[in-house]
Amino acid sequence: MSDQYPPPSQPPGPYGDQPPSGQPQQPGPYGNPQQSGPYGEPQQSGGPYGGQPQPQPQSQAQPQPGGPQQFGDQTHLAPPPNPATNPYAADPDQPAEVAERIDPPEGTTVNAAGGVTPRIDVKEKAAFAMNGFLAWVFIALLWVVGIGWGIFTVVNDGFPAPSIVIILVALLLGSSVTVIQPGQAKVLQFFGRYVGTVRRQGLVLTVPWTSKKSMSTKVENFETNELKVNDADGNPVNIAAIVVWQVADTAKASFAVEEYHRFVTIQAEAALRHVASQYPYDNAAEGEPTLREATDVVAARIAEEVNARVHLAGVTVIETRISTLAYAPEIAQAMLQRQQASAIIAAREKILDGAVGMVNGALRQLETTVPMDDAHKAEMVSNLLVVLTSESRVTPVINTSMPRERDNN
C-alpha cells in the first residue's frame, strides 16, 4: 500500500476550490470562476476582490468609504455609506443633483448627529372662559331647582330622575370654576390634550373636566453662577450676569421642555460663556469693544443670544446685566501689575507734556530780561525738567559765582 494520498478526485470544496485536472470548473458560492484563491477570486490577474492588483504598504492605509482598506497584512472591506440609516445625509455615490439634503418631516428637527428628533410644536391659545360670578348665580339656581324638584317628586311618590340630572350638572359646572390671580395663568388639559390657556383674572368658569395647571407670568430674574471663561485674548476671567425674563408662551413652557426654569438657567450660562469668549477683557484695538469698557454692548449681545436659545421654551428675555467681571485669581496679580504700569506710563506722559510746556514758557519770558547763550539755556532746561518731573522733593542749591567766573573755571 502506498503512503501517498490518492490523486485529487474529490468534488470542489465549499468555497469553489480548484477541481482536479481534466474536470470542468465549478462556480464558487460568490459566482466567481474556480481559481486557487480561498474565495474563488483570481489570484494572479486581479486584487483580492477581482480588481486590478494594487500594491499597498504594510502600514495602515487611509480608509476609503466603501472600498478595501489595508491594515498591516490584512485587507478589509469598509461598509459603503448607507443612506437608509440616515436619509438626511447626502450619499457620496449619488450625483450632485440627487445627493441634496432632504427636508425633515413636519414636526421634526435635524439633530447634531444628522438624524431627526420629534419636535413638540405647540403654541398658546385662549381657552373658553366666562365670568365666574354669573356662573355661580346660574349654579345656585340649578341647585334650587334640582333640590326643589326632587322634593316635589319624592312627595308625590315619583322617582326624581330630572332633579338628579340637574344636580349633577350643577356639580360639574361648580368644578369648572377657578380663581386666577394677577400675574398667573391656567393651562387646561382635557384628558391629556392641551385645550388652551386662561389668562383672565378673578373668578372664572372654564372648560369642565379639565386639569388646571397654574403658571406664573410675572417677570423673574436670576444671577448665573460665576463662570471662568477665556476671553478673546486667551486670558481667564470670572464673569457672571443677571438675566431678567418672563414666560411669553405658557404652552411651550409646559410641554416643549421638561423644566423651563432649569432650561433657562443652563442656556443663559451657555450663552454667557460663548459671548464672553468673543471679546477681550481690555486693551483692545481702536474701536473694538471690550468686556470692561463696553458693558452695555456685551449685555445686549448676551440678551440676544439667550433669547434665541430659550425661545423654544416659550420664554422671552427682557434684559441682561453683567454682575461680576474680574480676572481669574491665577493671573490677577500679573494683570494688576500691567494695569499699574499702563497707568504710570500715562501719568508720566502727562507730567512730561506739562513740564515741557512750562520750560518753554519760562525760557520765552527770561529771554526778554536775561540774555543767555545756548549753554546756559541747556543747563536751565535740564534743571527745570529735573525739578518738575522728579517724584521726591527737590533741595535747591544756590550758586553764588558770577557767570564770568564760572566760564573761567
Side-chain angles (χ1 to χ4, degrees):
M1 177 181 291
S2 176
D3 295 337
Q4 299 294 330
Y5 287 103
S9 59
Q10 295 84 0
Y15 298 100
D17 299 334
Q18 179 68 30
S21 59
Q23 296 184 7
Q25 294 183 348
Q26 300 290 336
Y30 300 101
N32 298 326
Q34 279 295 338
Q35 299 293 338
S36 60
Y39 296 96
E41 70 276 8
Q43 192 173 21
Q44 301 296 331
S45 61
Y49 294 94
Q52 295 297 327
Q54 299 179 1
Q56 295 190 6
Q58 294 297 326
S59 60
Q60 181 174 344
Q62 184 67 23
Q64 300 293 333
Q69 303 174 11
Q70 185 75 21
F71 297 92
D73 57 351
Q74 297 182 0
T75 304
H76 303 274
L77 183 64
N82 187 9
T85 60
N86 185 5
Y88 305 100
D91 186 356
D93 295 336
Q94 294 179 348
E97 62 273 7
V98 179
E100 295 180 351
R101 187 179 182 86
I102 305 174
D103 293 334
E106 184 178 357
T108 61
T109 55
V110 179
N111 54 32
V116 294
T117 303
R119 183 179 69 248
I120 301 178
D121 192 7
V122 59
K123 295 182 180 179
E124 180 179 327
K125 60 182 179 180
F128 167 78
M130 64 173 295
N131 194 324
F133 293 100
L134 296 178
W136 272 118
V137 172
F138 181 71
I139 292 171
L141 290 177
L142 289 179
W143 276 101
V144 172
V145 172
I147 294 175
W149 196 343
I151 294 175
F152 178 78
T153 305
V154 172
V155 170
N156 291 280
D157 298 332
F159 183 73
S163 62
I164 294 175
V165 174
I166 294 174
I167 292 175
L168 291 177
V169 172
L171 289 173
L172 179 62
L173 293 178
S175 64
S176 303
V177 177
T178 184
V179 178
I180 301 178
Q181 300 177 359
Q184 192 181 46
K186 294 284 188 178
V187 179
L188 307 183
Q189 287 181 267
F190 184 76
F191 292 99
R193 181 180 180 183
Y194 172 69
V195 296
T197 301
V198 179
R199 290 179 176 263
R200 184 173 180 172
Q201 302 175 7
L203 193 64
V204 179
L205 176 68
T206 62
V207 181
W209 286 355
T210 56
S211 61
K212 305 169 185 64
K213 177 183 177 182
S214 298
M215 179 167 292
S216 175
T217 58
K218 301 176 183 178
V219 177
E220 302 184 39
N221 69 92
F222 68 93
E223 184 176 8
T224 63
N225 296 323
E226 188 171 322
L227 307 176
K228 181 181 290 186
V229 186
N230 291 337
D231 65 355
D233 296 333
N235 299 320
V237 297
N238 292 341
I239 187 171
I242 297 175
V243 181
V244 183
W245 60 282
Q246 185 181 23
V247 174
D249 193 314
T250 57
K252 290 183 178 180
S254 299
F255 308 113
V257 294
E258 185 65 27
E259 297 179 7
Y260 67 95
H261 282 92
R262 186 169 179 268
F263 181 83
V264 172
T265 302
I266 295 176
Q267 294 300 323
E269 292 184 356
L272 175 62
R273 187 182 297 275
H274 178 261
V275 174
S277 64
Q278 306 299 315
Y279 297 91
Y281 183 87
D282 56 3
N283 297 327
E286 185 69 23
E288 183 180 357
T290 62
L291 296 174
R292 187 168 62 91
E293 297 176 357
T295 55
D296 293 339
V297 176
V298 177
R301 175 75 182 279
I302 294 173
E304 180 181 355
E305 185 154 342
V306 175
N307 204 15
R309 291 171 180 259
V310 301
H311 177 72
L312 175 65
V315 174
T316 180
V317 176
I318 301 174
E319 181 187 26
T320 59
R321 291 292 176 185
I322 296 177
S323 59
T324 301
L325 181 62
Y327 279 113
E330 55 266 24
I331 65 166
Q333 187 65 28
M335 294 297 104
L336 179 61
Q337 293 178 358
R338 189 181 72 174
Q339 293 177 358
Q340 290 175 348
S342 300
I344 291 174
I345 293 173
R348 289 292 184 183
E349 291 178 352
K350 189 70 175 179
I351 292 173
L352 184 60
D353 292 342
V356 171
M358 294 173 65
V359 170
N360 288 332
L363 288 177
R364 284 195 301 267
Q365 292 179 9
L366 290 175
E367 284 179 352
T368 59
T369 58
V370 180
M372 292 184 296
D373 55 8
D374 294 339
H376 291 91
K377 287 181 180 180
E379 184 180 356
M380 182 178 179
V381 168
S382 176
N383 293 334
L384 287 176
L385 288 177
V386 170
V387 171
L388 294 175
T389 60
S390 178
E391 293 184 356
S392 61
R393 185 175 181 179
V394 179
T395 303
V397 177
I398 300 176
N399 192 350
T400 58
S401 62
M402 297 300 291
R404 290 183 180 179
E405 296 178 359
R406 293 200 303 269
D407 294 341
N408 294 331
N409 294 333

